Amino acid sequence: MKKNKLAPKGSGAAKKLNIKKLNIKTKPPALKKGIRIEYAPSLESSDHIQLQKTYGHFIDGKFVEPRSGQYLATHNPATEEKLADVALGNSQDVHDAVMAARRASDKTWSRMPGSERAKYIFRIARLMQERARELAIIETLDGGKPLRESRTVDIPIAAAHFFYYAGWADKLEYAFPNRKAQPVGVAGQIVPWNFPLLMAAWKIAPALAAGNTVVLKPAETTPLTALKLAEIIQMADLPPGVVNIVTGAGATGQALVEHPEVNKIAFTGSTLVGKKIQKMLAGQGKKLTLELGGKSANIIFEDAALDQAVEGIVDSIFFNQGHVCCAGSRLLVQESVAKIVIRKLQARMDTLIVGNPMDKNTDIGAINSKMQLNKIEEYLQAGQDEGATLYQSQCAVPNKGYWVRPSFFTDVAQSHRITQEEIFGPVLTIQTFRTPEEAIEKANNTPYGLAGGVWTDKGAKIFKVTSQIKAGVIWANTYNRFDPTSPFGGYKESGMGREGGLHGLAPYLKF
Ligand code: NDP
């Protein structure tokens, strides 16, 4: 038998080993600012992805050319290369789609037993799972988000929404006992560019389960996964007209909102457009849910597990380049630990990799569009002009494409624009507080009320603080966790109504 040179002689191994001699460090090296571990590239291939040069609308079960004959280009924000042209929808296209949805509602879908509807919805979920890799790659190419996120968050959770709501389709009478729930009819659904397929799933799955038909308008810059979903819907043999997808710009969305045959509007997007839609629909009796912007506070108490909290900060603001409505974009940290938290955060930020979203090592991908890049850069300048101090990691970024290094501001006042307005990018503001009361007051001091986070070792403090923050979702000792069974939505200027869970069915039903 070979002698193991490292094996200790006798008992009391740890004591007798000469650790210094073996060059084993008893402590991991401290993370110093600027130290980065270099990883070999781990690129996902897109060779097998089949994209058409041109996509029409998906109306009445078929892809059709736009009535105007006009198309919009969609680009990869990481390379600025064109991916495809998609139809630019006008009010006639919207009309065709809405009338297809109306016919499908009257003739098939609303009359079909819930157990039959469930089979179709399950089938969509299964097909999404089967094509998960393809969907994740297209989401990353079209939107700029790291593949690591699209394949572990966007696509699996989108499929999970279809699975979850398929389960409710034949149980509506148990979900709403003694209330005789009926579908509302045709739902017009408008989604933004930050989680294109996931937002489509949030909207379509509960609507179908509740017996409604749908016209979806994807965002201008990220229409491709919705069009792939149209292919899946064809494969699932969903009756024609049950789901229709009209691509285009803001005016296309507006035509959908205004169409008299639409019974319900579900909108996710900016507060500005949400307010416009609410005004347009005033007095019309159409049902409306609005999932709008946010400026959520992530509160770190001195008794929190600080290393975990720092990971939570990274997750809350740098996930999806900060293009997240519920991003913890305002860090409130207790004064006694502020210095150490900021130091740890700086060290962690210096290890984040910004770059090719198709590389599985990438932490922060491309900003979704040139327009959004300009908006973030404007806020970076505004923050400095107002007197805040900017810190940005110094990592390299590619020459082409749209990029923002992970950033935070200190010396921030509650009145600064960067503290009050939604930046929708990888930019954090940091403020301190001394007491839980001060943290609560600062957390609530915005026009928004979408989400928040609390980090503390004390359960009682979690309940005390979370119960006084006016926000739809608050995470404790974690951040950005999503589950189809859990309702999501805002207060104040973050919107009205809930999506997800049992609550997410109610807006698609009349009683
Ligand atoms: P916008 O409000 O600009 O756009 C959202 C969608 O509405 C897009 O499909 C857009 O089309 C369409 N649209 C634009 N103008 C009109 C109009 N007048 N009538 C009808 N539809 C219209 O938001 P962004 O795309 O910039 O998305 C980012 C915003 O979305 C952020 O504020 C974010 O907080 C919010 N959001 C909220 C979530 C929530 O659940 N609360 C989740 C995700 C995002 P087009 O793209 O062609 O302009």
Side-chain angles (χ1 to χ4, degrees), residues 168-480:
W168 276 120
D170 63 347
K171 300 177 194 67
L172 297 178
E173 61 187 294
Y174 302 103
F176 304 98
N178 306 318
R179 294 184 65 193
K180 285 208 166 41
Q182 297 295 316
V184 292
V186 176
Q189 308 183 317
I190 300 168
V191 293
W193 44 261
N194 56 344
F195 293 94
L197 188 67
L198 183 55
M199 290 296 108
W202 277 29
K203 301 258 177 294
I204 296 174
L208 297 190
N212 302 274
T213 56
V214 161
V215 179
L216 177 85
K217 206 304 264 172
E220 187 178 333
T221 57
T222 53
L224 293 181
T225 43
L227 294 164
K228 284 282 155 186
L229 180 62
E231 289 176 13
I232 287 174
I233 283 165
Q234 278 182 324
M235 284 172 78
D237 257 340
L238 202 71
V242 173
V243 173
N244 306 274
I245 298 174
V246 179
T247 50
T252 320
Q254 185 164 339
L256 184 57
V257 172
E258 286 170 344
H259 198 288
E261 284 291 323
V262 171
N263 305 103
K264 183 217 153 45
I265 290 290
F267 173 80
T268 298
S270 61
T271 296
L272 186 77
V273 175
K275 283 181 180 176
K276 271 192 203 166
I277 291 177
Q278 197 171 16
K279 273 188 200 152
M280 274 190 259
L281 294 187
Q284 292 188 19
K286 272 184 201 170
K287 278 197 152 205
L288 174 64
T289 41
L290 296 172
E291 297 283 358
L292 309 176
K295 193 75 188 174
S296 303
N298 198 11
I299 304 172
I300 315 281
F301 284 99
E302 61 190 359
D303 56 18
L306 294 185
D307 287 327
Q308 280 92 328
V310 167
E311 285 309 306
I313 299 167
V314 168
D315 208 27
S316 77
I317 186 64
F318 302 130
F319 169 56
N320 200 29
Q321 297 74 249
H323 302 329
V324 183
C325 51
C326 50
S329 49
R330 289 185 298 140
L331 177 66
L332 301 179
V333 55
Q334 198 151 15
E335 200 175 84
S336 49
V337 291
K339 267 194 187 152
I340 183 155
V341 167
I342 292 171
R343 191 172 58 73
K344 281 173 184 276
L345 177 62
Q346 255 174 336
R348 182 69 179 92
M349 278 164 66
D350 288 341
T351 68
L352 294 175
I353 300 170
V354 181
N356 186 354
M358 293 288 279
D359 188 330
K360 288 163 218 149
N361 297 317
T362 294
D363 297 300
I364 299 179
I367 299 302
N368 182 266
S369 64
K370 182 84 174 82
M371 219 170 91
Q372 188 61 23
L373 177 67
N374 292 342
K375 180 179 160 191
I376 297 168
E377 284 176 346
E378 189 202 314
Y379 278 111
L380 289 173
Q381 190 56 51
Q384 295 172 84
D385 293 346
E386 285 181 311
T389 307
L390 174 65
Y391 176 80
Q392 286 192 302
S393 85
Q394 288 310 305
C395 60
V397 296
N399 294 330
K400 272 208 141 187
Y402 315 131
W403 313 97
V404 174
R405 294 187 176 89
S407 314
F408 68 69
F409 279 107
T410 49
D411 304 317
V412 167
Q414 191 68 34
S415 57
H416 285 168
R417 278 183 69 201
I418 50 169
T419 324
Q420 289 294 322
E421 297 173 19
E422 186 184 44
I423 300 173
F424 224 54
V427 184
L428 178 71
T429 60
I430 304 181
Q431 293 171 276
T432 58
F433 67 88
R434 288 185 181 169
T435 62
E437 289 69 28
E438 188 186 348
I440 292 163
E441 199 173 316
K442 282 184 167 156
N444 283 332
N445 188 353
T446 78
Y448 295 109
L450 191 56
V454 176
W455 296 78
T456 167
D457 196 27
K458 307 278 181 294
K461 207 185 274 179
I462 292 175
F463 287 117
K464 179 179 171 181
V465 175
T466 54
S467 63
Q468 292 178 64
I469 294 178
K470 199 82 179 146
V473 179
I474 305 177
W475 289 283
N477 293 329
T478 187
Y479 209 96
N480 275 339

